[in-house]
Amino acid sequence: MENKIITKYWNKIDPLNIQDYIKVGGYDALKKFIRDMDARTALEEIKKSGLCGRGGAGFPTGQKMEMVAEKTEKKYFICNLDESEPGTYKDSSIVDNNPHMLLEGIIVSALIVGAGKAFIYLNGHYEKQKEILAHALEQAREKEFLGKGIIGSCYDLDIEIFQGAGAYVCGEETALINSMEGNRGEPKLRPPYPTDSGLCGKPTCVNNAETIASVPWIIVNGGEAYSKIGASCSPGTKLYILGGAVKKPGVVEAPTGTTIHKLIHEFGGGISCGKELWFAQIGGASGRLITENELDTPLTFSRDCPVPLGSGAVLIVDKSVNIYDLILSWTGFFRRESCGKCVPCREGTFRLHEIAGRLKDGEISERDKEALEDILWTLNNTTFCPLGKFAATAMSDAVEKLGILGD
Amino acid sequence: MSTVEKILLEFEPETRNLLPVLKRISAAFGYVSQKDAQKAAKYFDLPLSRVYETVSFYDLINIKKQPELTIEVCSGTNCAVNGSFEIIREIENLFHVKAGDENNPRIKLEIISCLGQCGEGPVVVVNGKVYTKVTVSGVHGILKEWV
Ligand SMILES: Cc1cc2nc3c(=O)[nH]c(=O)nc-3n(C[C@H](O)[C@H](O)[C@H](O)COP(=O)(O)O)c2cc1C
Ligand code: SF4
Ligand code: FES
């Protein structure tokens, strides 16, 4: 069975040369779409594939595309390449290694939903990726894969890069849209969902870059073939970003449903020499902590999965790591990145970070311990957007599973 | 040397260009001064407060003049497990500064979020120049280049 879809040609083709990608079958999905399919039949394949969002939430991609495709007004397609979850650099690796696969995915997806204009919302720090993408866009235009009358058809599409300015919350789709409209990047109340009222009030389909990069393969090989890869609840392959105490850190592609144990040992070459595994954190700073006896859990996007895959970051923490520094990393991150729109998160992340500082200095009081419980509950249950919940996840696990507060 | 007026004229006065414009101004002059914010407000035909709403939100736009030396240390999860907090403490001791202190006119030491170069952490940025795989001992050599 095919286990490499996105990374198949990494390090084998020149990412700056469109011809290299075409030689290995690149843009065949676009050609197939234009010659043998239409938006409806292509959408059917996406739905059949079971592809679900790689941005973290795992929402069925076909269903989202359909909600926008049904609309008859002007609409937009946005590729979410904000990628600012700590420890996550998979989307930028797609751009570095095979930008045309992403562009092809954006073009096909935009045509499926019927958008005449697509945007790439790029992380503000990704200057190198901006150049690569601009170069790739130019090449695609020359080949008439983009622009007016794509390869002789009646389809028109333009893609524009919009670069963010450094704010984690802008990865959340409504905040992302706010930021593109020149506003503060704060999340908006949903509903209305972007699929009904997104950019400039028009129906907008926002998808993660990795989700989009899987689309060409599905169009060429069919939805059914894709649905057979990996875990049946959320099929396909996934990019995992291995970091921390593994011998071979980096981005690897493996089917969904792969266990953490396998990721560490088969893909990451095992635990680094002289280090002893303590726990793993799955999904960046927002991710849950997994201790040794849970390493056999398969990672999927299903709601029933005890360990959500999130961004796919797998951080291996060994026993030599100063846990209080890591806690400061989490709490400091969410304190900085809380957009301030809602009180529970603005205050909660601030207090959490203060307590983390006292914990580090060994000055934590009984009052702090009680307050901590309240703060975590409040973040988990009452914030306006999921960022607040994310802020509580790792800390709650650290209290429960690592016993950082002592008895 | 480009002027604020020149930068403004490169963009249509539509609100979707507000963020790109402010980012460009901040990159060109180190920060967006109140005067420049006023010019942008006028150009986009927006109230000044509306420009400040946007300008104050983003990490990559400064609204204060920056000190000669700005040191940013990534404290994302991957950099953190590789020792970024030890580097921060080393720099704090070296310059007698506190991370996050905005009132030192000469040096600013800032803890920042992940830059997406986690595979090569810890990452330290000095006046915009990115250093990877920084160690506690190596940071001295890096900072010598700048002081
Ligand atoms: C705080 C926060 C940050 C997010 N950051 C990202 C991000 O960096 N990249 C991304 O693709 N999705 C991010 N998301 C998820 C998006 O809101 C959205 O669900 C996603 O882009 C949809 O694409 P998908 O269905 O292909 O996953 C974030 C969500 C939240 C709540
Ligand atoms: S939860 Fe945090 S990030 Fe989300 S809206 Fe509230 S303050 Fe903003
Ligand atoms: S954690 Fe430091 S660059 Fe990502």
Coordinates of all heavy atoms in Angstrom, one line a residue, chain A residues 1 20 48 51 67 78 87 91 95 105 118 121 127 171 197 202 206 215 229 241 272 313 363 373 403:
Chain A
M1 N 0.8 -1.2 0.0 CA 0.0 0.0 0.0 C 0.9 1.3 0.0 O 2.0 1.3 0.5 CB -0.9 0.0 1.2 CG -2.2 0.8 0.9 SD -3.5 0.7 2.0 CE -3.4 -0.8 2.9
D20 N 10.4 19.6 -13.3 CA 10.7 18.4 -12.5 C 9.5 17.8 -12.0 O 9.3 16.6 -11.9 CB 11.6 18.8 -11.4 CG 13.1 18.7 -11.7 OD1 13.4 18.9 -12.9 OD2 13.9 18.4 -10.8
K48 N -15.5 10.7 -1.0 CA -15.3 9.3 -0.8 C -14.0 9.0 -0.1 O -13.8 8.0 0.6 CB -15.3 8.7 -2.2 CG -16.3 7.5 -2.4 CD -16.0 6.8 -3.7 CE -16.7 7.5 -4.9 NZ -16.3 7.0 -6.2
L51 N -11.0 12.2 3.4 CA -10.0 13.2 3.8 C -10.6 14.1 4.9 O -11.7 14.6 4.7 CB -9.5 13.9 2.6 CG -8.5 15.1 2.8 CD1 -7.2 14.5 3.3 CD2 -8.3 15.9 1.6
M67 N -20.2 22.6 1.2 CA -21.0 23.7 1.8 C -20.7 25.0 1.0 O -21.5 25.8 0.8 CB -20.6 23.9 3.2 CG -21.1 22.8 4.1 SD -21.0 23.2 5.8 CE -19.5 22.5 6.3
I78 N -9.1 29.7 0.7 CA -7.9 30.1 1.4 C -7.1 28.9 1.8 O -7.7 28.0 2.5 CB -8.3 31.0 2.6 CG1 -9.0 32.3 2.2 CG2 -7.0 31.4 3.4 CD1 -9.5 33.1 3.3
G87 N 6.8 23.8 17.5 CA 7.2 22.5 17.2 C 6.7 22.0 15.8 O 6.9 20.8 15.5
D91 N 4.0 22.3 7.2 CA 3.5 23.0 6.0 C 4.6 23.8 5.3 O 4.6 23.8 4.1 CB 2.4 24.0 6.4 CG 1.2 23.3 7.0 OD1 1.0 22.0 6.8 OD2 0.4 23.9 7.7
V95 N 6.2 23.4 1.3 CA 6.6 24.5 0.4 C 8.1 24.3 0.0 O 8.5 24.5 -1.1 CB 6.4 25.9 1.1 CG1 6.9 27.0 0.1 CG2 4.9 26.0 1.4
G105 N -2.8 21.4 -5.6 CA -3.9 21.2 -4.7 C -4.8 22.4 -4.5 O -6.1 22.3 -4.5
A118 N -8.1 32.7 -5.0 CA -7.6 31.9 -3.9 C -6.5 32.7 -3.2 O -5.8 33.4 -3.9 CB -7.2 30.5 -4.3
Y121 N -2.6 32.2 3.0 CA -2.3 33.0 4.2 C -1.0 32.4 4.8 O -1.0 31.3 5.4 CB -3.4 32.9 5.2 CG -3.2 33.9 6.4 CD1 -3.8 35.1 6.3 CD2 -2.4 33.6 7.4 CE1 -3.6 36.1 7.4 CE2 -2.2 34.5 8.5 CZ -2.8 35.7 8.4 OH -2.6 36.6 9.4
E127 N 9.7 34.0 5.3 CA 10.1 34.8 4.2 C 10.7 33.9 3.0 O 10.4 34.2 1.9 CB 11.2 35.8 4.6 CG 10.8 36.9 5.6 CD 9.7 37.8 4.9 OE1 9.7 37.9 3.7 OE2 8.9 38.4 5.7
G171 N -4.1 31.7 13.0 CA -4.3 30.4 12.3 C -5.8 29.9 12.4 O -6.2 29.1 11.7
S197 N -20.3 32.9 5.5 CA -19.9 34.3 5.4 C -18.5 34.4 5.9 O -18.2 34.5 7.1 CB -20.9 35.1 6.3 OG -20.4 36.4 6.4
K202 N -18.2 36.9 2.0 CA -18.5 35.8 1.0 C -18.2 34.4 1.5 O -17.3 34.3 2.3 CB -17.7 36.1 -0.3 CG -17.9 37.5 -0.9 CD -19.2 37.5 -1.7 CE -19.4 38.9 -2.3 NZ -20.4 39.7 -1.7
V206 N -11.7 27.5 4.0 CA -10.4 27.6 4.5 C -9.9 26.2 4.8 O -10.5 25.4 5.5 CB -10.3 28.4 5.8 CG1 -8.9 28.5 6.3 CG2 -11.0 29.7 5.7
V215 N -4.9 16.6 -2.0 CA -6.0 16.6 -3.0 C -5.5 16.0 -4.4 O -6.2 15.2 -5.0 CB -6.6 18.0 -3.1 CG1 -7.5 18.1 -4.3 CG2 -7.4 18.2 -1.9
I229 N -6.1 3.9 3.0 CA -4.9 4.1 3.7 C -5.1 4.5 5.2 O -6.0 5.3 5.4 CB -4.1 5.2 3.0 CG1 -3.9 4.9 1.5 CG2 -2.7 5.5 3.7 CD1 -3.4 6.1 0.7
I241 N 5.9 15.5 12.9 CA 7.1 16.3 13.1 C 7.7 15.8 14.4 O 7.2 16.0 15.4 CB 6.9 17.8 13.2 CG1 5.9 18.3 12.1 CG2 8.2 18.6 13.1 CD1 4.5 18.5 12.5
S272 N 17.3 9.2 21.6 CA 18.7 9.6 21.5 C 19.5 8.9 22.5 O 19.1 8.5 23.6 CB 18.8 11.1 21.8 OG 17.9 11.8 21.0
A313 N 2.7 17.3 15.6 CA 4.0 17.5 16.2 C 4.2 16.4 17.3 O 3.2 16.2 18.1 CB 4.2 18.9 16.8
E363 N 8.1 28.4 44.9 CA 7.4 29.3 45.8 C 5.9 29.1 45.7 O 5.1 29.9 46.1 CB 7.7 30.7 45.5 CG 9.1 31.1 45.9 CD 9.5 32.5 45.4 OE1 8.6 33.1 44.7 OE2 10.6 32.9 45.6
E373 N -6.5 24.9 39.9 CA -7.6 24.1 39.5 C -8.8 24.9 38.8 O -9.3 24.5 37.8 CB -8.1 23.3 40.7 CG -8.8 22.0 40.4 CD -9.1 21.3 41.7 OE1 -8.2 21.1 42.5 OE2 -10.3 21.0 41.9
G403 N 2.3 14.7 38.0 CA 2.3 15.1 39.4 C 3.2 16.3 39.8 O 3.9 16.2 40.8

